[in-house]
């Protein structure tokens, strides 16, 4: 009977209801958050391993939730990707990052790349290049300083990816493949795409100095990048030994807690000025 059925499931029904309810709440909070601009960007430097200079920053979104406090992207980006809110949020991120880059230029900081993450949904958005062009024009940021980060999964439809990427390249921006090595991308497709950089996923960098296969993977990616005339950044660098290894393998750039965690714009400026003096 219906009653017996209910009893059978009663032990986890409330749990499921709670999860569905939390999700709905988060979704309505997100809609409000976009209107009320509760988001902020944190910035993490990319450092050239030869010159030791900061060559760019990656913009990473944070949500200052009125009740739950500071939320990392892992707690809300997947939901925005499912319900489409990522399109609005992604536009906000792009605009805010470009305005910040321009502001730093106007404040006399040396030119720096600004890396922004694109989601699958954005990548598939109609007239993405036109939208980005408008954002660049509104912010006054020169296109050559914008670096768009995509993931290997976005390149699975090779024709579509090649077209989209070439329309983005026409704007004069840079393209990198994020989390490289964790997804599936064939070497032949890599060759077909107008990409500028590979970012080695931090899961290979983590144990680099203890795990021989991770070391081999990082060396292989670095060599391949060089042969394909691509730049390469190692992500998630946390210690001197990793930096040492990466320098020996001629890895161009590094990013990670070794330098600093992602920090708000004003703290980044302080960090940068302090670092330049020492
Ligand atoms: P990601 O693009 O791979 O960004 C790097 C992540 O690694 C960041 O996490 C950063 O805080 C973390 N990280 C950096 N250095 C280290 C390190 O040395 N050790 C460790 N353990 N972690 C390090 P975060 O900020 O939580 O972002 C997580 C992911 O959320 C990002 O991964 C990116 O995929 C996504 N994301 C962030 N901002 C945006 C955005 O504006 N749009 C989209 N579509 N996705 C975003
Ligand atoms: Ca990224
Ligand atoms: Ca990454
Ligand atoms: Ca990622």
């Amino acid at each position: 009977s219906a009653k017996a059925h209910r009893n059978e499931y009663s032990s986890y029904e409330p749990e499921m209801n709670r999860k569905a309810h939390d999700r709905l709440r988060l979704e309505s909070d997100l809609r409000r958050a976009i209107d009320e601009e509760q988001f902020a960007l944190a910035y993490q430097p990319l450092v050239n391993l030869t010159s030791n200079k900061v060559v760019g920053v990656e913009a990473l979104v944070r949500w200052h939730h009125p009740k739950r406090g500071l939320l990392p992207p892992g707690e809300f980006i997947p939901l925005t990707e499912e319900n489409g809110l990522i399109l609005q949020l992604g536009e906000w991120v792009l605009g805010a990052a470009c305005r910040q880059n321009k502001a730093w230029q106007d404040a006399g900081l040396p030119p720096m790349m600004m890396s922004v993450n694109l989601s699958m949904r954005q990548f598939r958005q109609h007239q993405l290049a036109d939208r980005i062009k408008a954002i660049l024009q509104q912010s006054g940021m020169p296109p050559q300083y914008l670096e768009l980060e995509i993931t290997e999964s976005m390149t699975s439809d090779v024709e579509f990816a090649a077209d989209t990427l070439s329309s983005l390249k026409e704007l004069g921006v840079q393209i990198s493949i994020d989390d490289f090595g964790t997804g599936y991308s064939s070497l032949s497709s890599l060759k077909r795409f107008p990409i500028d950089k590979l970012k080695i996923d931090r899961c290979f960098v983590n144990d680099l100095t203890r795990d021989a296969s991770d070391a081999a993977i990082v060396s292989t990616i670095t060599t391949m990048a060089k042969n394909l005339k691509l730049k390469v950044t190692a992500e998630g660098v946390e210690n001197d030994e990793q930096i040492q290894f990466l320098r020996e393998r001629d890895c161009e750039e590094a990013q990670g807690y070794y330098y600093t965690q992602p920090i708000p714009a004003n703290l980044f400026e302080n960090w940068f000025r302090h670092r330049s003096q020492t």
Side-chain angles (χ1 to χ4, degrees), residues 54 64 74 117 124 139-140 168 176 180 226 229 245 251 268:
V54 176
H64 291 276
N117 295 283
R124 293 213 179 121
S139 68
L168 291 172
S176 30
F180 188 76
K226 203 175 298 164
K229 300 205 163 46
F245 179 99
C251 178
F268 176 80

Side-chain angles (χ1 to χ4, degrees), residues 43-48 51-58 100-101 103-114 259-278:
Y43 298 92
Q44 189 179 38
L46 280 72
V47 176
N48 181 292
S51 68
N52 205 31
K53 290 217 156 79
V54 176
V55 288
V57 294
E58 177 171 359
Q100 185 61 67
N101 185 278
W104 278 332
Q105 290 305 287
D106 293 348
L109 267 71
M112 269 185 264
M113 297 298 297
M114 175 63 76
Y259 299 107
T260 169
Q261 293 193 6
I263 44 178
N266 57 337
L267 292 186
F268 176 80
E269 248 178 274
N270 291 343
W271 176 88
F272 180 85
R273 290 187 200 279
H274 176 80
R275 187 176 188 271
S276 313
Q277 281 160 14
T278 55

Side-chain angles (χ1 to χ4, degrees), residues 117 151 178-179 201-202 235:
N117 295 283
T151 55
D178 200 4
D179 307 338
D201 193 79
R202 72 164 189 263
E235 299 192 283

Side-chain angles (χ1 to χ4, degrees), residues 9-56:
Y9 289 91
S10 59
S11 58
Y12 59 81
E13 223 170 50
E15 166 77 359
M16 280 176 61
N17 280 335
R18 195 182 52 76
K19 280 202 176 130
H21 184 261
D22 282 357
R23 200 190 131 100
L24 279 175
R25 164 71 57 80
L26 194 64
E27 188 161 342
S28 77
D29 285 356
L30 264 173
R31 288 181 200 280
R32 189 165 336 120
I34 289 176
D35 293 336
E36 295 181 2
E37 301 226 341
Q38 294 169 6
F39 297 102
L41 294 179
Y43 298 92
Q44 189 179 38
L46 280 72
V47 176
N48 181 292
L49 287 172
T50 307
S51 68
N52 205 31
K53 290 217 156 79
V54 176
V55 288

